């Protein structure tokens, strides 16, 4: 026991002398022991870092996926509402623009009506109505709205709405012989079917 203590003291003296010769300061033995104790304490695993059981890992994974699913569903719902709102705003803006231009046609009607009196001749009245009609037609064309050809065309249920059958010496059976209300289309979309009378051929 005395020999171990003497050996330890001799090592400490030799270490101190070597440190003094090199200019380094040797910490006391008790300080070294405290540092070693602190290092071992910080390296100990915490409760959060402890390894989970397979069941706990599965539960954690399920909870994570459920949270992700809820977030994704919420983001999609917000995106859907935003898209619908933008579409509504675009439709409303287009409608407002069209209605504003229709009001200009209404203004012309009102001006024409205000100038009609006993001295107005039929010629002037007709010219005024033609101007307004042409203005309205140009407005519809600007929005790609055009009349559907009906008279003399083969009856097409996709374009025409047959109101009655008529005898005709001009048009063969199954051909549109008269038009009671003009139909309109916008590009390939039918806005209103033409109301027509379809020829049933010559009377027997």
């Amino acid at each position: 026991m005395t020999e171990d203590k003497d050996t330890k003291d001799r090592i400490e003296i030799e270490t101190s002398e070597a440190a003094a010769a090199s200019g380094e300061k040797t910490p006391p033995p008790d300080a070294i022991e405290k540092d070693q104790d602190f290092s071992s304490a910080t390296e100990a695993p915490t409760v959060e870092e402890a390894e989970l059981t397979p069941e706990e890992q599965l539960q954690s994974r399920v909870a994570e996926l459920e949270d992700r699913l809820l977030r994704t569903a919420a983001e999609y719902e917000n995106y859907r509402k935003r898209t619908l709102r933008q579409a509504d705003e675009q439709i409303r803006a287009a409608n407002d623009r069209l209605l504003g231009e229709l009001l200009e046609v209404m203004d012309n009607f009102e001006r024409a009506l205000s100038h009609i009196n006993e001295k107005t001749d039929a010629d002037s009245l007709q010219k005024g109505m033609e101007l307004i009609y042409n203005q309205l037609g140009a407005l519809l064309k600007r929005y790609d709205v055009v009349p559907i050809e009906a008279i003399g065309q083969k009856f097409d249920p996709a374009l025409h709405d047959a109101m009655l059958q008529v005898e005709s010496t001009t048009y063969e059976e199954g051909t549109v012989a008269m038009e009671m209300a003009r139909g309109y289309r916008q590009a390939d979309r039918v806005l209103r079917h033409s109301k027509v009378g379809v020829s049933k051929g010559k009377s027997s």
Side-chain angles (χ1 to χ4, degrees):
M1 198 63 188
T2 305
E3 291 179 358
D4 290 343
K5 185 174 184 303
D6 292 340
T7 302
K8 183 177 180 182
D9 291 341
R10 187 170 61 255
I11 292 172
E12 289 177 359
I13 293 171
E14 291 176 353
T15 303
S16 299
E17 290 175 352
S22 62
E24 296 179 356
K25 186 176 180 181
T26 304
D30 57 341
I32 296 175
E33 291 176 358
K34 288 180 180 179
D35 288 344
Q36 291 174 348
D37 292 342
F38 176 77
S39 174
S40 61
T42 55
E43 290 175 359
T46 62
V47 176
E48 291 78 12
E49 294 174 348
E51 186 176 357
L52 300 175
T53 65
E55 183 180 354
E56 290 172 334
Q57 291 178 356
L58 180 60
Q59 291 176 350
S60 176
R61 182 60 175 164
V62 169
E64 179 186 348
L65 292 175
E66 286 179 346
D67 181 68
R68 187 179 302 176
L69 179 61
L70 290 175
R71 289 176 183 273
T72 302
E75 290 173 0
Y76 173 75
E77 183 64 18
N78 291 335
Y79 168 78
R80 188 183 67 82
K81 290 180 179 179
R82 184 169 60 253
T83 302
L84 290 175
R85 185 168 58 252
Q86 290 173 348
D88 288 341
E89 291 173 355
Q90 291 175 352
I91 293 173
R92 185 163 53 249
N95 288 341
D96 290 347
R97 185 167 59 252
L98 174 59
L99 291 174
E101 295 181 7
L102 282 174
L103 290 177
E104 294 179 7
V105 179
M106 180 65 73
D107 292 341
N108 288 337
F109 265 119
E110 290 179 351
R111 279 192 286 269
L113 290 173
S114 67
H115 285 84
I116 294 177
N117 52 47
E118 295 178 357
K119 297 180 181 180
T120 304
D121 56 62
D123 235 11
S124 299
L125 183 59
Q126 181 178 351
K127 288 180 180 177
M129 293 300 102
E130 286 177 352
L131 286 173
I132 296 172
Y133 177 80
N134 291 335
Q135 181 187 13
L136 183 56
L139 172 60
L140 292 175
K141 190 174 182 179
R142 193 155 60 245
Y143 283 88
D144 201 22
V145 177
V146 295
I148 294 174
E149 295 293 331
I151 300 294
Q153 303 295 316
K154 277 289 184 183
F155 174 74
D156 184 352
L159 302 174
H160 310 131
D161 187 6
M163 305 302 294
L164 71 164
Q165 283 188 311
V166 296
E167 295 178 358
S168 175
T169 57
T170 306
Y171 301 103
E172 62 182 19
E173 186 178 357
T175 302
V176 176
M178 62 183 297
E179 183 181 58
M180 289 166 279
R182 181 170 292 183
Y184 289 88
R185 66 193 304 170
Q186 186 179 44
D188 295 330
R189 186 167 63 98
V190 175
L191 299 176
R192 188 179 74 182
H193 290 71
S194 301
K195 297 184 184 302
V196 300
V198 183
S199 172
K200 61 181 179 180
K202 296 179 182 179
S203 174
S204 57

